[in-house]
Protein backbone atom coordinates (compact mmCIF):
# COMPACT_ATOMS: atom_id res chain seq x y z
CA UNK A 1 0.00 0.00 0.00
CA UNK A 2 1.49 3.33 -1.03
CA UNK A 3 2.13 5.96 1.64
CA UNK A 4 1.86 8.84 -0.85
CA UNK A 5 -1.05 11.15 -0.16
CA UNK A 6 -2.43 13.07 -3.11
CA UNK A 7 -2.48 16.84 -2.70
CA UNK A 8 -5.99 18.25 -2.53
CA UNK A 9 -7.16 19.78 -5.78
CA UNK A 10 -7.06 23.56 -5.72
CA UNK A 11 -10.39 25.30 -6.05
CA UNK A 12 -10.48 27.11 -9.44
CA UNK A 13 -12.30 30.03 -7.84
CA UNK A 14 -9.62 30.34 -5.17
CA UNK A 15 -6.89 30.23 -7.82
CA UNK A 16 -8.61 32.97 -9.81
CA UNK A 17 -8.94 35.19 -6.75
CA UNK A 18 -5.26 34.75 -5.96
CA UNK A 19 -4.31 35.69 -9.50
CA UNK A 20 -6.59 38.74 -9.41
CA UNK A 21 -5.11 39.84 -6.07
CA UNK A 22 -1.59 39.39 -7.47
CA UNK A 23 -2.34 41.51 -10.54
CA UNK A 24 -3.97 44.17 -8.35
CA UNK A 25 -0.99 44.44 -6.01
CA UNK A 26 1.89 43.85 -8.46
CA UNK A 27 0.54 45.13 -11.78
CA UNK A 28 2.18 48.55 -11.39
CA UNK A 29 5.59 46.91 -11.07
CA UNK A 30 5.12 45.14 -14.40
CA UNK A 31 3.97 48.36 -16.06
CA UNK A 32 6.96 50.21 -14.60
CA UNK A 33 9.41 47.63 -15.93
CA UNK A 34 7.78 47.64 -19.38
CA UNK A 35 7.77 51.45 -19.49
CA UNK A 36 11.43 51.60 -18.45
CA UNK A 37 12.43 49.01 -21.07
CA UNK A 38 10.52 50.86 -23.78
CA UNK A 39 12.11 54.16 -22.76
CA UNK A 40 15.53 52.52 -22.80
CA UNK A 41 15.00 51.28 -26.35
CA UNK A 42 13.71 54.65 -27.54
CA UNK A 43 16.34 56.79 -25.79
CA UNK A 44 19.88 55.38 -25.36
CA UNK A 45 20.59 57.87 -22.58
CA UNK A 46 17.61 56.73 -20.49
CA UNK A 47 19.16 53.64 -18.83
CA UNK A 48 22.41 55.37 -17.92
CA UNK A 49 23.06 55.26 -14.15
CA UNK A 50 23.21 59.03 -13.92
CA UNK A 51 19.80 59.44 -15.55
CA UNK A 52 18.22 56.71 -13.42
CA UNK A 53 19.67 58.38 -10.33
CA UNK A 54 18.19 61.72 -11.46
CA UNK A 55 14.75 60.15 -12.02
CA UNK A 56 14.62 58.72 -8.51
CA UNK A 57 15.93 61.93 -6.93
CA UNK A 58 13.30 63.99 -8.74
CA UNK A 59 10.61 61.53 -7.61
CA UNK A 60 11.85 61.31 -4.01
CA UNK A 61 9.91 64.33 -2.71
CA UNK A 62 6.60 63.09 -4.12
CA UNK A 63 7.60 59.61 -2.97
CA UNK A 64 7.82 60.65 0.68
CA UNK A 65 4.45 62.40 0.43
CA UNK A 66 2.96 59.30 -1.20
CA UNK A 67 3.89 57.14 1.80
CA UNK A 68 1.61 59.12 4.08
CA UNK A 69 -1.06 59.44 1.41
CA UNK A 70 -1.02 55.68 0.85
CA UNK A 71 -1.64 55.05 4.54
CA UNK A 72 -4.51 57.54 4.55
CA UNK A 73 -6.14 56.11 1.42
CA UNK A 74 -5.80 52.51 2.64
CA UNK A 75 -7.55 53.69 5.81
CA UNK A 76 -10.37 55.05 3.65
CA UNK A 77 -9.56 58.78 3.69
CA UNK A 78 -7.82 61.51 1.72
CA UNK A 79 -5.22 64.12 2.61
CA UNK A 80 -5.40 67.09 0.25
CA UNK A 81 -3.23 69.27 2.51
CA UNK A 82 0.09 67.54 1.75
CA UNK A 83 1.02 69.64 -1.30
CA UNK A 84 0.63 72.94 0.55
CA UNK A 85 2.43 71.44 3.54
CA UNK A 86 5.43 70.73 1.29
CA UNK A 87 5.47 74.37 0.16
CA UNK A 88 5.16 75.66 3.72
CA UNK A 89 7.81 73.15 4.77
CA UNK A 90 10.34 74.56 2.31
CA UNK A 91 9.76 78.07 3.68
CA UNK A 92 10.01 77.00 7.33
CA UNK A 93 13.15 74.97 6.62
CA UNK A 94 14.78 77.92 4.84
CA UNK A 95 14.05 80.23 7.76
CA UNK A 96 15.30 77.66 10.29
CA UNK A 97 18.44 76.62 8.37
CA UNK A 98 20.67 79.33 9.94
CA UNK A 99 19.98 77.73 13.35
CA UNK A 100 21.34 74.35 12.29
CA UNK A 101 20.43 71.18 10.45
CA UNK A 102 18.26 69.86 13.26
CA UNK A 103 16.17 73.03 13.34
CA UNK A 104 15.85 73.03 9.54
CA UNK A 105 14.25 69.59 9.62
CA UNK A 106 12.45 69.86 12.95
CA UNK A 107 10.49 73.02 12.08
CA UNK A 108 8.65 71.73 8.97
CA UNK A 109 8.17 68.25 10.40
CA UNK A 110 6.70 69.65 13.62
CA UNK A 111 4.42 71.90 11.58
CA UNK A 112 3.31 68.91 9.51
CA UNK A 113 2.66 66.90 12.66
CA UNK A 114 0.54 69.73 14.06
CA UNK A 115 -1.46 70.05 10.84
CA UNK A 116 -2.03 66.29 10.74
CA UNK A 117 -3.15 66.36 14.37
CA UNK A 118 -5.65 69.16 13.71
CA UNK A 119 -6.95 67.42 10.58
CA UNK A 120 -7.32 64.14 12.45
CA UNK A 121 -9.10 65.71 15.41
CA UNK A 122 -11.57 67.54 13.17
CA UNK A 123 -12.29 64.38 11.22
CA UNK A 124 -12.65 62.17 14.30
CA UNK A 125 -14.13 64.47 16.94
CA UNK A 126 -16.16 66.88 14.79
CA UNK A 127 -17.05 64.08 12.34
CA UNK A 128 -16.21 66.26 9.37
CA UNK A 129 -15.50 64.76 5.95
CA UNK A 130 -11.76 64.26 5.26
CA UNK A 131 -12.16 65.91 1.86
CA UNK A 132 -13.51 69.14 3.38
CA UNK A 133 -11.07 69.25 6.31
CA UNK A 134 -7.93 68.66 4.26
CA UNK A 135 -9.10 70.95 1.45
CA UNK A 136 -9.52 73.74 4.00
CA UNK A 137 -6.04 72.93 5.32
CA UNK A 138 -4.67 73.10 1.76
CA UNK A 139 -5.98 76.64 1.33
CA UNK A 140 -4.91 77.78 4.80
CA UNK A 141 -1.38 76.39 4.49
CA UNK A 142 -0.97 77.88 1.02
CA UNK A 143 -1.99 81.28 2.36
CA UNK A 144 0.36 80.96 5.34
CA UNK A 145 3.28 80.02 3.08
CA UNK A 146 2.64 83.05 0.86
CA UNK A 147 2.43 85.30 3.94
CA UNK A 148 5.79 84.05 5.20
CA UNK A 149 7.64 84.01 1.89
CA UNK A 150 5.71 86.30 -0.40
CA UNK A 151 6.29 85.74 -4.09
CA UNK A 152 10.06 85.56 -3.69
CA UNK A 153 12.47 82.84 -2.66
CA UNK A 154 13.66 82.48 0.91
CA UNK A 155 17.34 81.74 0.46
CA UNK A 156 18.73 79.04 2.76
CA UNK A 157 22.42 78.76 3.60
CA UNK A 158 23.28 75.33 2.09
CA UNK A 159 26.09 74.09 4.36
CA UNK A 160 25.38 70.69 5.88
CA UNK A 161 21.70 71.25 5.23
CA UNK A 162 22.31 71.32 1.49
CA UNK A 163 24.77 68.41 1.55
CA UNK A 164 22.11 66.08 2.93
CA UNK A 165 19.95 66.49 -0.18
CA UNK A 166 22.71 67.04 -2.76
CA UNK A 167 25.35 64.63 -1.51
CA UNK A 168 25.98 60.98 -2.36
CA UNK A 169 26.57 57.78 -0.45
CA UNK A 170 28.61 55.10 -2.23
CA UNK A 171 27.92 56.80 -5.54
CA UNK A 172 24.16 56.91 -5.00
CA UNK A 173 22.31 60.14 -4.24
CA UNK A 174 21.38 60.58 -0.58
CA UNK A 175 17.79 61.24 -1.60
CA UNK A 176 17.66 57.86 -3.33
CA UNK A 177 18.85 56.17 -0.15
CA UNK A 178 16.40 58.14 1.98
CA UNK A 179 13.50 57.26 -0.32
CA UNK A 180 14.12 53.51 -0.34
CA UNK A 181 14.85 53.36 3.38
CA UNK A 182 11.62 55.27 4.06
CA UNK A 183 9.60 52.85 1.93
CA UNK A 184 11.27 49.87 3.58
CA UNK A 185 10.32 51.17 7.02
CA UNK A 186 6.81 52.05 5.85
CA UNK A 187 6.32 48.56 4.40
CA UNK A 188 7.40 46.97 7.68
CA UNK A 189 5.05 49.21 9.65
CA UNK A 190 2.13 48.51 7.31
CA UNK A 191 2.62 44.75 7.12
CA UNK A 192 4.23 43.79 10.42
CA UNK A 193 2.73 46.00 13.13
CA UNK A 194 -0.60 46.31 14.91
CA UNK A 195 -0.86 49.87 13.62
CA UNK A 196 -0.62 48.67 10.02
CA UNK A 197 -3.18 45.93 10.65
CA UNK A 198 -5.51 48.54 12.16
CA UNK A 199 -5.13 50.79 9.09
CA UNK A 200 -6.17 47.91 6.82
CA UNK A 201 -9.02 46.94 9.13
CA UNK A 202 -10.46 50.46 9.31
CA UNK A 203 -10.28 50.82 5.53
CA UNK A 204 -12.01 47.47 5.09
CA UNK A 205 -14.82 47.99 7.59
CA UNK A 206 -14.63 50.74 10.19
CA UNK A 207 -17.57 49.58 12.29
CA UNK A 208 -16.40 45.97 12.37
CA UNK A 209 -12.93 47.20 13.40
CA UNK A 210 -14.42 49.16 16.26
CA UNK A 211 -16.36 46.11 17.44
CA UNK A 212 -13.14 44.07 17.36
CA UNK A 213 -11.48 46.53 19.73
CA UNK A 214 -9.47 48.62 17.26
CA UNK A 215 -9.01 52.16 18.57
CA UNK A 216 -10.32 53.68 15.37
CA UNK A 217 -10.15 57.33 16.42
CA UNK A 218 -6.60 57.05 17.70
CA UNK A 219 -5.38 55.25 14.57
CA UNK A 220 -7.04 57.80 12.29
CA UNK A 221 -5.43 60.72 14.08
CA UNK A 222 -2.04 58.99 14.07
CA UNK A 223 -2.30 58.29 10.33
CA UNK A 224 -2.98 61.93 9.47
CA UNK A 225 -0.10 62.93 11.76
CA UNK A 226 2.24 60.60 9.85
CA UNK A 227 1.04 62.03 6.54
CA UNK A 228 1.60 65.62 7.65
CA UNK A 229 5.01 64.87 9.14
CA UNK A 230 6.23 63.18 5.96
CA UNK A 231 5.00 66.12 3.88
CA UNK A 232 6.99 68.41 6.17
CA UNK A 233 10.06 66.19 5.73
CA UNK A 234 9.64 66.31 1.95
CA UNK A 235 9.48 70.10 2.17
CA UNK A 236 12.67 70.24 4.24
CA UNK A 237 14.54 68.01 1.79
CA UNK A 238 13.28 70.03 -1.18
CA UNK A 239 14.48 73.23 0.48
CA UNK A 240 17.85 71.58 1.09
CA UNK A 241 18.00 70.50 -2.55
CA UNK A 242 17.15 73.99 -3.85
CA UNK A 243 18.91 75.92 -1.04
CA UNK A 244 15.73 77.97 -0.78
CA UNK A 245 12.12 77.97 0.30
CA UNK A 246 9.31 78.63 -2.16
CA UNK A 247 5.64 78.90 -1.23
CA UNK A 248 4.53 77.36 -4.54
CA UNK A 249 6.66 74.24 -4.06
CA UNK A 250 4.67 71.03 -3.81
CA UNK A 251 1.77 72.34 -5.87
CA UNK A 252 -0.18 69.37 -7.20
CA UNK A 253 1.47 66.84 -4.89
CA UNK A 254 -1.85 66.16 -3.18
CA UNK A 255 -3.36 64.78 -6.39
CA UNK A 256 -0.14 63.25 -7.72
CA UNK A 257 0.36 61.31 -4.48
CA UNK A 258 -3.18 59.94 -4.69
CA UNK A 259 -2.57 59.08 -8.36
CA UNK A 260 0.67 57.25 -7.50
CA UNK A 261 -1.06 55.25 -4.77
CA UNK A 262 -4.01 54.32 -6.99
CA UNK A 263 -1.78 53.42 -9.95
CA UNK A 264 0.15 51.24 -7.49
CA UNK A 265 -2.95 49.22 -6.59
CA UNK A 266 -4.35 51.09 -3.58
CA UNK A 267 -8.15 51.02 -3.66
CA UNK A 268 -9.86 54.40 -3.31
CA UNK A 269 -12.47 52.66 -1.16
CA UNK A 270 -9.78 51.62 1.31
CA UNK A 271 -8.61 48.35 2.80
CA UNK A 272 -6.24 47.28 0.00
CA UNK A 273 -2.77 48.47 -0.97
CA UNK A 274 0.98 48.00 -0.64
CA UNK A 275 3.94 50.30 -0.21
CA UNK A 276 5.76 48.53 -3.04
CA UNK A 277 2.85 49.32 -5.34
CA UNK A 278 2.81 52.96 -4.25
CA UNK A 279 6.56 53.25 -4.86
CA UNK A 280 6.07 51.72 -8.31
CA UNK A 281 3.39 54.33 -9.02
CA UNK A 282 5.71 57.15 -7.95
CA UNK A 283 8.57 55.87 -10.12
CA UNK A 284 6.23 55.33 -13.08
CA UNK A 285 5.20 58.99 -12.91
CA UNK A 286 8.90 59.86 -12.71
CA UNK A 287 9.65 57.80 -15.81
CA UNK A 288 6.84 59.54 -17.69
CA UNK A 289 8.25 62.95 -16.75
CA UNK A 290 11.76 61.94 -17.78
CA UNK A 291 10.60 60.58 -21.13
CA UNK A 292 8.80 63.85 -21.85
CA UNK A 293 12.02 65.71 -21.02
CA UNK A 294 13.95 63.33 -23.31
CA UNK A 295 11.61 64.11 -26.20
CA UNK A 296 12.18 67.80 -25.62
CA UNK A 297 9.53 69.07 -27.99
CA UNK A 298 6.63 68.28 -25.63
CA UNK A 299 5.42 70.65 -22.95
CA UNK A 300 4.97 69.74 -19.29
CA UNK A 301 1.22 69.56 -19.92
CA UNK A 302 1.76 66.16 -21.54
CA UNK A 303 2.98 64.82 -18.20
CA UNK A 304 -0.35 65.67 -16.63
CA UNK A 305 -2.19 64.17 -19.59
CA UNK A 306 -0.21 60.93 -19.36
CA UNK A 307 -0.56 60.76 -15.57
CA UNK A 308 -4.31 61.29 -15.85
CA UNK A 309 -4.58 58.57 -18.48
CA UNK A 310 -2.66 56.12 -16.28
CA UNK A 311 -4.84 57.03 -13.30
CA UNK A 312 -8.06 56.53 -15.25
CA UNK A 313 -6.82 53.21 -16.60
CA UNK A 314 -5.76 52.11 -13.11
CA UNK A 315 -9.17 52.92 -11.64
CA UNK A 316 -10.95 51.06 -14.47
CA UNK A 317 -8.71 48.01 -14.04
CA UNK A 318 -9.11 48.09 -10.26
CA UNK A 319 -12.88 48.26 -10.53
CA UNK A 320 -12.86 45.21 -12.77
CA UNK A 321 -10.49 43.31 -10.49
CA UNK A 322 -12.59 44.19 -7.44
CA UNK A 323 -15.68 42.79 -9.12
CA UNK A 324 -13.73 39.65 -10.00
CA UNK A 325 -12.67 39.17 -6.39
CA UNK A 326 -16.19 39.80 -5.13
CA UNK A 327 -17.60 37.32 -7.64
Amino acid sequence: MSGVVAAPARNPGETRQRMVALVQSRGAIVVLVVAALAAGLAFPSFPRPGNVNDIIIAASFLGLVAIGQTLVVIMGGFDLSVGSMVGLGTVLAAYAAPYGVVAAFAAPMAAGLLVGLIDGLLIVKARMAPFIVTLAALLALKGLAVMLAGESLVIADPGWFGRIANGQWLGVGNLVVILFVAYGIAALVLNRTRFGAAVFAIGGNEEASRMLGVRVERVKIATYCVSGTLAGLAGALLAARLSSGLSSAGTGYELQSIAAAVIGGVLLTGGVGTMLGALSGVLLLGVIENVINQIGSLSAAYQGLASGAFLLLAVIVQSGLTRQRAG
Side-chain angles (χ1 to χ4, degrees):
M1 182 177 179
S2 174
V4 178
V5 179
R10 180 170 293 179
N11 187 339
E14 180 183 351
T15 302
R16 185 184 68 177
Q17 287 205 351
R18 288 184 178 180
M19 290 298 296
V20 169
L22 183 63
V23 172
Q24 194 169 46
S25 61
R26 298 291 186 264
I29 303 173
V30 176
V31 175
L32 173 62
V33 172
V34 171
L37 290 174
L41 292 174
F43 305 100
S45 62
F46 180 87
R48 292 174 183 170
N51 187 59
V52 174
N53 191 60
D54 290 342
I55 291 174
I56 301 176
I57 287 176
S60 62
F61 311 107
L62 175 62
L64 290 173
V65 173
I67 292 176
Q69 190 74 264
T70 297
L71 290 172
V72 172
V73 176
I74 290 176
M75 190 182 64
F78 293 100
D79 190 352
L80 300 180
S81 67
V82 288
S84 294
M85 186 61 240
V86 171
L88 178 61
T90 65
V91 175
L92 293 176
Y95 276 123
Y99 301 97
V101 175
V102 174
F105 281 95
M109 291 176 71
L113 175 62
L114 178 61
V115 170
L117 177 62
I118 294 172
D119 286 347
L121 287 172
L122 288 174
I123 292 167
V124 169
K125 300 300 182 182
R127 299 186 180 279
M128 297 176 65
F131 179 85
I132 299 300
V133 171
T134 57
L135 178 61
L138 179 155
L139 298 174
L141 295 175
K142 178 64 69 176
L144 180 58
V146 172
M147 286 174 58
L148 292 175
E151 299 298 330
S152 60
L153 292 172
V154 179
I155 304 300
D157 179 16
W160 279 103
F161 180 55
R163 293 192 190 106
I164 291 175
N166 294 291
Q168 293 187 343
W169 185 71
L170 298 180
V172 179
N174 289 343
L175 288 174
V176 176
V177 177
I178 291 171
L179 179 67
F180 283 106
V181 169
Y183 268 90
I185 294 172
L188 288 174
V189 170
L190 186 61
N191 299 315
R192 295 288 186 267
T193 67
R194 293 177 62 183
F195 172 76
V199 168
F200 277 118
I202 294 170
N205 191 318
E206 183 174 328
E207 290 306 316
S209 302
R210 187 175 282 108
M211 293 175 63
L212 291 173
V214 176
R215 296 181 175 180
V216 173
E217 289 77 13
R218 186 172 296 183
V219 173
K220 279 189 171 184
I221 293 171
T223 305
Y224 280 99
C225 286
V226 170
S227 180
T229 302
L230 286 172
L233 173 60
L237 289 170
L238 184 55
R241 179 75 176 176
L242 302 175
S243 297
S244 61
L246 183 62
S247 61
S248 62
T251 300
Y253 274 18
E254 58 281 342
L255 299 181
Q256 290 179 41
S257 59
I258 293 174
V262 173
I263 290 170
V266 179
L267 285 184
L268 286 171
T269 52
V272 175
T274 66
M275 283 297 164
L276 180 59
L279 176 59
S280 300
V282 169
L283 295 179
L284 182 57
L285 294 179
V287 168
I288 293 171
E289 180 180 5
N290 188 263
V291 168
I292 290 174
N293 291 335
Q294 295 270 357
I295 295 174
S297 60
L298 297 178
S299 68
Y302 283 92
Q303 181 193 353
L305 180 62
S307 301
F310 269 104
L311 177 59
L312 180 60
L313 180 61
V315 171
I316 293 172
V317 171
Q318 280 192 11
S319 298
L321 293 175
T322 302
R323 286 194 296 269
Q324 288 285 331
R325 294 181 73 176

